[in-house]
Amino acid sequence: MTATAKKQMSVRAQWQGKLQFQAEGPSGYPVLMDSSVALGGEGAGNSPLELILVGLVGCMGIGVTKLLEKMRQSPEGIEIVADGIRDEAVPHAISEIHLTFHVSGGVASSRIWQAVKLESEQYCPVAASLRATIVPHVFINGSEVPEPQGSEEQEA
């Protein structure tokens, strides 16, 4: 694979009715998503926004753990808390994330900081993807529908 080649990952989400979707990625594990009751859902699953934070702490945790192992550090426990700060304005995006690492055991503070910084700034693909470009495609009844251009009248 050349330095400019790109890898692709596909995830599918199937509508379950109301505001629920069940997603599945290449690993084959289903994830149920729903909106809160306050926003019209049933609160029967994780919200998509909280799954972003779940993905981030998982990615950071796996990466930090691997780096600490390479550094010959032996934590007894690691807990990561992600606090997302959301904008007041629509779309209420997460504009800042505070990651708090609670580490127990024989780990040098300089090593845990080194691992956390390397993951957050260089290695964690989730952290690096949070400002990714989104390219939408729309299909209706199996046919791709191009994005309307200009001031075309919107269909119902």
Side-chain angles (χ1 to χ4, degrees), residues 46-141:
N46 293 297
S47 77
L49 202 54
E50 67 189 38
L51 287 173
I52 289 173
L53 296 178
V54 168
L56 179 62
V57 296
C59 184
M60 290 291 297
I62 290 167
V64 164
T65 302
K66 288 170 61 177
L67 286 171
L68 289 175
E69 184 179 307
K70 287 180 183 178
M71 295 175 185
R72 299 175 197 233
Q73 300 294 297
S74 302
E76 291 174 12
I78 300 173
E79 179 184 16
I80 307 163
V81 178
D83 292 307
I85 315 273
R86 295 179 63 189
D87 291 337
E88 293 278 335
V90 173
H92 310 294
I94 296 173
S95 57
E96 189 174 318
I97 301 170
H98 294 258
L99 290 178
T100 306
F101 290 78
H102 298 274
V103 182
S104 59
V107 178
S109 61
S110 63
R111 291 302 197 179
I112 186 68
W113 268 110
Q114 182 183 13
V116 167
K117 295 292 276 181
L118 281 168
E119 276 303 309
S120 65
E121 296 173 3
Q122 191 173 344
Y123 294 132
C124 176
V126 176
S129 299
L130 290 176
R131 295 294 296 176
T133 300
I134 297 177
V135 180
H137 301 271
V138 175
F139 287 76
I140 297 178
N141 299 322

Side-chain angles (χ1 to χ4, degrees), residues 8-60:
Q8 181 176 329
M9 175 186 286
S10 287
V11 173
R12 291 184 178 271
Q14 185 70 38
W15 183 39
Q16 303 296 300
K18 299 190 180 183
L19 298 179
Q20 294 179 12
F21 281 82
Q22 182 167 310
E24 186 175 303
S27 64
Y29 296 103
V31 175
L32 182 64
M33 295 175 283
D34 195 3
S35 183
S36 68
V37 173
L39 296 176
E42 296 178 341
N46 293 297
S47 77
L49 202 54
E50 67 189 38
L51 287 173
I52 289 173
L53 296 178
V54 168
L56 179 62
V57 296
C59 184
M60 290 291 297

